[in-house]
Amino acid sequence: MLTKKLLPLLTKFGTLILAGYIAWIGWQHLGPRKPEIGPVRNNLANKAAGEIAETLRQNREEVYDVVLLHFVNDPTDYFTDSLRREIEQRGIFDLRDRTFLEKLRNKLNLRHPTCDSSDAGAKIAELKNTQGALIGTVKSFESYPGGSQIEVVYELVSKDGTIAYAGQYAKESSDFFLKPEVMQKSVRSIAWFQRGLAWLVLVLLLPVFTISFIRTMARRRSNKSNAFVLTIYTIIDAILAWFLVGAALSGFLTIFFFIVAVIVALLYNIRIMTFAVKLEEV
């Protein structure tokens, strides 16, 4: 009897959950989307956020309890989030947490309201009962062939309306080669199984496409030549594995997978080399 009463309720509850899940999936695919930021701009924003945070540490006066307001002209949210992360990790301010609505906007990929005047910043600081507010504008943040640039103006405003500190940051960077930390973030944005599959295909096909070179070296019937070929191919595979883990061997798991990958590549190359030697002995 009890089961008969509960079954309709469970059915309705399950239907609501399913409808909510379908709505969420639909929002993720059809709802607003934040602009993507490439690895070059990513690196420049992180550097700018770190240097601005240090400047604020040295010029914060007596303002410690602060609310960080979303910077103007930051549609990706990346710079504002990077600055928040730097300030929180360094303990420069007692930074107020994001509000529930701000967190909801992040989840729904909605744009945040901004503050573009010191008077408005002071009013918000007073409303939130903090000593001050950190406001700013991203005047430019773009990349171009061979480099990138960023320009930010910002103010630390007290709740009484006075400006405790006003700063400006401008940086132009030439990025002809990606640094390891930038490459790491770029590579790790690709799913691990896709990276692993790409590495495996390259390792398997490299000796196949260069089998004539391997047979030429095997024809010399020299252990030194064979060892040279094995070394060269294994080094190439190791470099590919280095890219696979994001160009950074930090942490037990990345080092472990790197070593396993190199050992697998070495065993495969030995097998190919042995096969080539046997072909030349026929």
Side-chain angles (χ1 to χ4, degrees):
M1 191 72 178
L2 185 61
T3 305
K4 290 183 178 180
K5 292 181 179 180
L6 285 177
L7 188 58
L9 292 176
L10 291 175
T11 302
K12 291 179 181 180
F13 184 67
T15 303
L16 288 174
I17 293 177
L18 181 60
Y21 177 73
I22 293 174
W24 173 253
I25 295 298
W27 181 269
Q28 293 296 312
H29 287 84
L30 303 176
R33 182 184 64 86
K34 291 182 181 179
E36 296 181 2
I37 178 171
V40 174
R41 294 173 67 205
N42 183 303
N43 184 47
L44 188 59
N46 290 337
K47 185 182 297 183
E51 295 184 17
I52 290 175
E54 178 59 23
T55 301
L56 286 169
R57 186 188 67 80
Q58 298 174 4
N59 298 277
R60 60 193 168 192
E61 299 292 337
E62 297 299 321
V63 181
Y64 292 97
D65 186 15
V66 172
V67 57
L68 173 61
L69 304 179
H70 197 276
F71 275 36
V72 178
N73 194 29
D74 183 22
T76 66
D77 298 338
Y78 191 83
F79 179 77
T80 304
D81 291 343
S82 296
L83 184 58
R84 172 179 290 276
R85 182 172 60 252
E86 287 288 339
I87 291 174
E88 289 178 341
Q89 290 178 352
R90 300 187 188 196
I92 297 172
F93 297 116
D94 179 10
L95 203 61
R96 292 297 175 94
D97 190 17
R98 297 181 181 89
T99 64
F100 173 78
L101 286 178
E102 288 175 329
K103 294 176 181 178
L104 184 61
R105 285 178 179 274
N106 281 338
K107 291 294 183 183
L108 298 178
N109 290 327
L110 298 175
R111 295 203 175 193
H112 292 274
T114 58
C115 177
D116 57 358
S117 70
S118 55
D119 290 338
K123 289 180 181 178
I124 294 175
E126 186 175 7
L127 182 65
K128 291 183 176 291
N129 195 27
T130 61
Q131 293 178 323
L134 180 59
I135 65 174
T137 300
V138 181
K139 301 189 73 173
S140 69
F141 182 30
E142 56 194 34
S143 61
Y144 48 85
S148 56
Q149 68 175 18
I150 187 170
E151 184 179 358
V152 181
V153 292
Y154 56 97
E155 292 178 347
L156 180 59
V157 185
S158 299
K159 66 179 179 180
D160 59 5
T162 60
I163 299 176
Y165 181 75
Q168 182 172 0
Y169 180 91
K171 184 97 173 171
E172 188 168 358
S173 176
S174 297
D175 297 294
F176 294 103
F177 299 98
L178 291 181
K179 294 182 179 180
E181 61 269 20
V182 184
M183 189 182 301
Q184 180 181 6
K185 291 182 179 180
S186 179
V187 172
R188 288 188 175 179
S189 63
I190 304 171
W192 65 268
F193 63 89
Q194 292 178 330
R195 286 181 276 154
L197 182 60
W199 176 82
L200 186 62
V201 170
L202 289 172
V203 170
L204 291 175
L205 294 183
L206 180 61
V208 174
F209 288 130
T210 58
I211 190 64
S212 58
F213 168 73
I214 297 175
R215 292 189 63 176
T216 300
M217 298 299 289
R219 202 172 296 134
R220 297 184 178 184
R221 302 180 186 278
S222 169
N223 290 333
K224 289 184 178 180
S225 297
N226 296 342
F228 172 77
V229 173
L230 283 175
T231 301
I232 292 298
Y233 277 75
T234 304
I235 288 175
I236 293 173
D237 295 337
I239 293 173
L240 293 174
W242 181 64
F243 283 109
L244 169 68
V245 297
L249 294 176
S250 57
F252 173 77
L253 283 179
T254 53
I255 294 175
F256 173 76
F257 285 122
F258 176 79
I259 293 174
V260 170
V262 173
I263 292 174
V264 169
L266 176 61
L267 294 175
Y268 175 70
N269 291 334
I270 291 174
R271 190 68 179 266
I272 292 294
M273 194 68 208
T274 303
F275 175 73
V277 170
K278 289 181 178 179
L279 285 178
E280 296 306 316
E281 289 176 351
V282 177

